[in-house]
Amino acid sequence: MEFDLSESQHMLQQTLERFFADKLPVGGDADKLRSILEGRDDAKSLEAGLRELGLDKIMLPESVGGLDGSLLDAACAQEIIGRYAAPLSFMTQHVLVPLAIKRAASPEQAQTWFSAIANGTMRCALALPEEAQAIQEQNGALSGRSAFAFAGTNPTHILSAAGGHVWMHKIDDAGIERKARQTIDKSRDLAIFEFAGAKGERLAGENAPAALPRLLGAARILLAADMVGAASMMVERAVAYAKEREQFGRVIGSFQAVKHLCAEAAAALEPCRALFWYAAYQFDSDGEDWEQLACLTKAHSAEAAHEAARKSTEVYGGAGFADFTGLHFWFKRVGAGRQLLGNPDRLFEEAAQRQGWTS
Amino acid sequence: MDLSDTPEMQAFRKEVQTFLKTHQADFPATMLLARPDGAAQRWQQLLVKHGYAARTVPQAYGGAGLPLDVMELRIIVEEFIAAGAPLGLANQGISMLVPTLLELGTEEQKQQWIPPTLRGEIIWCQGYSEPGSGSDLASLQTRAREEGDDFIINGQKIWTSTARDADMMFCLVRTEPDAPKHAGISYLIFPMSTPGIEVRPLKTMTGHAEFNEVYFTDVRVPKTSVVGERGGGWLTANVTLRHERGMLGDPNQTEARFNRLVKLMQEETRDGKRIIDDPLFRNRLARLQAEVIAMRCHGLRLLSARAHKKQTGLAGMVVKLLGCELNHQIAGLAIDALGAYGLLYHGDEEARSGGSWQRLFMFDLGLIIGGGTAQIQKNIIAERGLGLPRRATRAA
């Protein structure tokens, strides 16, 4: 029995950690991240770096130069991306879309699309069923609105769900309009997509109906990893701050109350790591209850991450509340992850239903 | 990640299963009596013979003498639980005193004390905490004054579970009153029948006397009672404490308790509706379930790390804190689910499970406090896990 990440998964995390520590250093006022989130800079060099590391191909098949990765591989990467609140569409563009194509597309569709994704000519946005999604399908034409779609950078296509199927549309085609979405979390690429009788291509694979639950489960596990990462960084920054900041003639980290805030935050997060590893592992091996596990993992991680985010901010004191340290970028990253694709109460209820607790 | 057994572990698991099937008729009713009865002692002997108890204790001292393999130990626990078989004796003597003697005892002490302890013939109690020395254990005041070849002990211990049934005590006393706090302590072992020792039951909020106070009035013990270095008792004590902390917050017990809670919420009704059909209670139950699963996964992660001789760091420091709190919360939800009926205690006909949820709820609060309070746990996590400074300091 080996309940641990593999050597290569550890190395993946270490490589990504070094990459982001260089490109998005978190000290001071997190100015590099800030300049991207405030629109003075873009994420192009980050995306290029990701490509150089081969992470854009992590879930693509080896036939197109991909790494044929597992969800656990992707979740390992996502945790580090969350640690830096990196404004990258890794989760949707590079993990969920390939997963959907793998599961729901016909062999012909998969071959065409994987090649195009691999050479960068096809970039997919993703509209998963959300609270405010009502897309209807009639004769292969989609109408309705995805209020919280993941847009990605300069998407050429959009993958969506309607009528029990998964659909691929060209964004430039008639009947699709994209509108901006302003949330608290500028590190995420959320957008509104409106469909007005838009004709697209149905993913025609044998396993297509099973694709949607798989996508939701995978997305929830990735969001859990992202929140654990982001909250962990907040705790690290808070601890570093507590070792430096002096009040009453001593570093504030020497006060028991401050120690306890940090300890509680760190302790709450720690089991979440083993939990999302296990959930991803069960997803990858099609183990029993992976859907229920995905719900519980995301719900629990969201609560632990929120506790850690809140306590870290309090350790930072006024500086945590102020804009200038940029700590709030992580607070919002955690908060956004909490609401997307099911917040804790909704997911706890779904998990309860799945195991037959209701009559 | 690979949660399957290696071929060797698969074979070992089958071995354990076969043993349990073969010896089903020998299962004693319980191993948990303060003084193991004949059936329990025979079961213990059988287990040691097959290496399912005292597995890593050298054969020279009555153990099975097998190498430490945390995976094998886990398989033993899993299979015994699955078969409803009682595990080997896990009293204080076996879980705390024996490892301490193995690490720091003389050959004579090991030969004299380990074999009968492993057989369940000698019952031990722990004399550590005092009314004035709980979290600050090193401040203990029970004095052992030198007189010729003996020490004369005066003082008091508290929270001594099993003192009423114990044959022997392992006890921390101050032998060097002029030495600095941590350097003046010695670890002694002596019979509870020594004149001058008085045991008084200590009732807790549960209404039961799970613990005792022990009073020492001019108790004479030979100087050879010392385990480890004289004045080095703090080091010796820490070996014991390390083994004690590992016992608290065990995820297996928590999972069993959680499953009983689910059953309770499916069976109990209010106004004709099952409690579990109430979304508010269902929400709380699902929240606890996520914690139970998280702690199970976390336990497996730690087990795997230790099996592969890796450091566990902060991850290894959170089990007692989180596990004990979780147990308490599970009992708390059971009581809330029962409402006013959750108040019923021993003696009321309608008390569910004889009021055991209330007893657990209260005793669990004791466990959050005992064995290292939650606040001490947080200090340890902060200082040793996160590197925050122990004392008031300026910035580096």
Side-chain angles (χ1 to χ4, degrees), chain A residues 2-4 243 246 249-251 254 256 259-260 264 270 281 303 345 348-349 355 357-359, chain B residues 1-3 274 277 282-283 287 289 301 304 310 375 378-379 383 386-387 389-390 393-395:
Chain A
E2 174 119 28
F3 198 109
D4 192 5
K243 288 176 182 170
E246 288 189 13
R250 53 197 274 193
V251 294
S254 66
Q256 191 173 94
K259 285 187 207 183
H260 286 196
E264 287 159 9
E270 197 58 43
Y281 169 82
E303 295 287 34
D345 288 314
F348 282 128
E349 178 61 10
Q355 56 196 305
W357 282 355
T358 53
S359 47
Chain B
M1 285 276 285
D2 183 359
L3 302 192
R274 302 183 310 163
D277 289 326
R282 199 161 58 230
N283 180 286
R287 285 173 179 276
Q289 183 180 48
R301 177 190 172 189
S304 186
K310 294 189 194 152
Q375 290 68 39
K378 291 177 193 181
N379 285 351
E383 290 160 11
L386 299 172
R390 294 200 68 172
T393 49
R394 309 298 303 245

Side-chain angles (χ1 to χ4, degrees), chain A residues 228-312:
Chain A
V228 169
S232 297
M233 181 58 84
M234 292 186 79
V235 175
E236 274 174 43
R237 288 194 66 185
V239 168
Y241 185 76
K243 288 176 182 170
E244 289 299 318
R245 168 78 174 177
E246 288 189 13
Q247 288 286 263
F248 307 109
R250 53 197 274 193
V251 294
I252 63 168
S254 66
F255 287 110
Q256 191 173 94
V258 175
K259 285 187 207 183
H260 286 196
L261 283 175
C262 296
E264 287 159 9
L269 280 178
E270 197 58 43
C272 295
R273 221 160 250 120
L275 186 58
F276 87 69
W277 293 355
Y278 182 66
Y281 169 82
Q282 290 293 77
F283 177 94
D284 287 327
S285 45
D286 222 344
E288 53 176 296
D289 303 337
W290 60 260
E291 272 187 279
Q292 180 186 318
L293 251 185
C295 291
L296 292 174
T297 299
K298 190 199 181 246
H300 182 70
S301 299
E303 295 287 34
H306 173 73
E307 178 184 348
R310 155 92 195 250
K311 287 177 175 170
S312 301

Side-chain angles (χ1 to χ4, degrees), chain B residues 36-49:
Chain B
D37 59 13
Q41 287 190 2
R42 282 190 297 278
W43 182 242
Q44 174 76 355
Q45 202 177 347
L46 188 62
L47 294 188
V48 174
K49 179 162 163 237

Side-chain angles (χ1 to χ4, degrees), chain A residues 189-203:
Chain A
D189 53 342
L190 294 166
I192 303 171
F193 276 85
E194 288 184 352
F195 296 78
K199 282 216 182 254
E201 194 177 337
R202 185 168 65 81
L203 271 66

